[in-house]
Amino acid sequence: MKFGIVIFPGKTLQDLANSYRKRYDPHYSLIPPHITLKAPFEANEDEAKTLANKLEDISKRFSPLHIHIPKFSSFHPVNNVIYFKVEPSTEMTDLHEAIDALGYGEATEYSFVPHITLGQRLSDDEHSDVFGSLKMQKMNHDEYVDRFHLLYQLENGSWTVFETFRLGKE
Amino acid sequence: MKFGIVIFPGKTLQDLANSYRKRYDPHYSLIPPHITLKAPFEANEDEAKTLANKLEDISKRFSPLHIHIPKFSSFHPVNNVIYFKVEPSTEMTDLHEAIDALGYGEATEYSFVPHITLGQRLSDDEHSDVFGSLKMQKMNHDEYVDRFHLLYQLENGSWTVFETFRLGKE
């Protein structure tokens, strides 16, 4: 089974993200808007239960995370992904590293660039048009998130939540 | 905001349910296959946090639930919903009643008929064809579920998990 670890931002930001994803993200119907903390990895159900216990331990060590979104951004020319940039706070990077250090799946090869994907698999022309328009728009959003989720993927590609972890619960 | 409370069954059963939902359920892309414990109701975020705490208290009082699915069934002629019948165990009915007794949304007017929807909004002819074929198929599935989820609905109609509650955790 394929598992992943994500943060779902608040409803307001999810609704805004979906207004773009509906048109530009083929994953629109497979998962709600999210910040990926750990990219998809293979594990069986027993491993997932052990992982869930470890994630619960980690969650107790962290306080709710401040999320600041200063602008639209793009991974172009690496790939044509358009996203809400999430200002990488020390706490979020620490949480990412604590999860990575558990050793599930492959260690992250790239530096952690937290983001909420709005569009992907766009042609060069489409990317240029859409991002050219979005980057002119003002975006400045702040919120706190107090939880993250362990998900697993169904055969149709969609994701189901396995467990929720509250940050700083105790 | 609209909230709901559901059980997601295991991946095997979700994949099987989705093989039908893909064709027959317009909600296919909005939520994974599920057993509804509490129908959608309005609440604000503060109320939801209070509710989450109450649900956590309830979850500690229950053990993992046995789910037995003996057959395909239908709500026809009340409506053209085709579903996996879930044999109502005392424990699941008790959990439903404990949640109902919290007083969020409207109290359930009907008796609790736990089920996993496979098709809905079918025409009479479509319902007759599809259910006529499905009810001839053998279905006999058993599993234990050890968690349920509080969800909220986004503007596009899809559902995001707010929190997970493990049954019999402590």
Side-chain angles (χ1 to χ4, degrees):
Chain A
M1 268 163 98
K2 200 166 264 182
F3 288 84
I5 301 172
V6 306
I7 291 169
F8 295 132
K11 178 174 179 293
T12 304
L13 196 61
Q14 286 195 56
D15 286 335
L16 182 60
N18 271 338
S19 70
Y20 300 106
R21 296 178 77 225
K22 183 172 188 169
R23 279 173 291 175
Y24 306 124
D25 186 355
H27 292 179
Y28 171 66
S29 68
L30 302 178
I31 185 168
H34 60 280
I35 300 166
T36 300
L37 285 173
K38 173 82 184 162
F41 56 94
E42 283 291 336
N44 61 41
E45 275 190 77
D46 285 341
E47 289 170 326
K49 284 182 184 174
T50 309
L51 170 58
N53 291 334
K54 290 177 182 172
L55 291 174
E56 185 147 3
D57 291 340
I58 288 176
S59 70
K60 291 174 185 166
R61 300 182 353 227
F62 285 83
S63 298
L65 300 171
H66 177 227
I67 291 192
H68 173 58
I69 295 181
K71 62 173 183 178
F72 292 89
S73 194
S74 163
F75 286 128
H76 185 83
V78 176
N79 58 46
N80 290 347
V81 170
I82 295 170
Y83 58 87
F84 282 145
K85 178 181 174 63
V86 178
E87 202 71 73
S89 66
T90 312
E91 294 73 20
M92 191 182 288
T93 304
D94 287 350
L95 176 58
H96 163 74
E97 286 175 1
I99 292 171
D100 228 31
L102 293 176
Y104 289 79
E106 294 179 25
T108 308
E109 290 178 30
Y110 312 98
S111 61
F112 177 52
V113 181
H115 65 279
I116 298 169
T117 296
L118 303 175
Q120 56 188 322
R121 300 197 201 155
L122 303 170
S123 69
D124 283 345
D125 283 355
E126 211 177 3
H127 173 272
S128 171
D129 280 0
V130 175
F131 186 55
S133 154
L134 288 181
K135 73 182 175 189
M136 308 294 285
Q137 290 187 32
K138 274 205 177 170
M139 179 66 200
N140 192 9
H141 175 91
D142 287 274
E143 69 176 74
Y144 279 86
V145 294
D146 60 357
R147 60 197 68 214
F148 63 95
H149 304 266
L150 174 63
L151 322 176
Y152 59 91
Q153 191 170 34
L154 301 182
E155 294 307 313
N156 69 357
S158 67
W159 293 84
T160 296
V161 170
F162 185 71
E163 186 137 358
T164 307
F165 308 94
R166 276 205 226 175
L167 295 165
K169 195 176 167 191
E170 292 174 24
Chain B
M1 268 163 95
K2 199 167 264 182
F3 288 84
I5 301 171
V6 306
I7 290 170
F8 294 132
K11 178 174 178 296
T12 305
L13 196 62
Q14 285 194 57
D15 286 335
L16 180 62
N18 271 338
S19 70
Y20 301 106
R21 295 177 78 223
K22 183 173 188 170
R23 279 174 291 175
Y24 306 123
D25 186 355
H27 292 178
Y28 171 65
S29 68
L30 302 178
I31 186 169
H34 59 279
I35 300 166
T36 301
L37 285 172
K38 174 79 186 164
F41 57 93
E42 284 290 335
N44 62 41
E45 275 190 75
D46 285 342
E47 289 170 326
K49 284 182 183 174
T50 309
L51 170 58
N53 291 334
K54 290 178 181 170
L55 291 174
E56 184 148 0
D57 291 341
I58 288 176
S59 69
K60 290 174 186 167
R61 298 181 355 226
F62 284 83
S63 298
L65 300 171
H66 177 227
I67 293 193
H68 174 57
I69 296 182
K71 63 173 183 177
F72 292 87
S73 193
S74 163
F75 287 127
H76 185 84
V78 176
N79 58 46
N80 290 347
V81 169
I82 295 171
Y83 58 87
F84 282 146
K85 177 181 173 65
V86 177
E87 202 72 72
S89 65
T90 312
E91 294 75 18
M92 191 182 288
T93 303
D94 287 351
L95 176 59
H96 163 74
E97 285 176 1
I99 292 171
D100 227 34
L102 294 175
Y104 288 80
E106 292 178 27
T108 309
E109 288 177 34
Y110 311 98
S111 61
F112 177 51
V113 181
H115 64 280
I116 298 169
T117 296
L118 303 175
Q120 56 188 322
R121 301 199 201 153
L122 303 170
S123 70
D124 283 345
D125 283 355
E126 212 177 3
H127 172 273
S128 171
D129 280 359
V130 175
F131 186 55
S133 154
L134 286 181
K135 73 181 175 191
M136 306 295 285
Q137 290 186 34
K138 274 203 177 171
M139 178 66 200
N140 191 10
H141 175 91
D142 286 275
E143 70 177 73
Y144 278 86
V145 294
D146 60 357
R147 60 198 65 215
F148 63 95
H149 304 267
L150 173 62
L151 322 177
Y152 59 90
Q153 191 170 33
L154 301 181
E155 293 307 312
N156 69 357
S158 68
W159 293 83
T160 296
V161 170
F162 185 69
E163 187 139 358
T164 307
F165 307 94
R166 277 204 225 174
L167 294 166
K169 194 177 167 190
E170 292 174 24

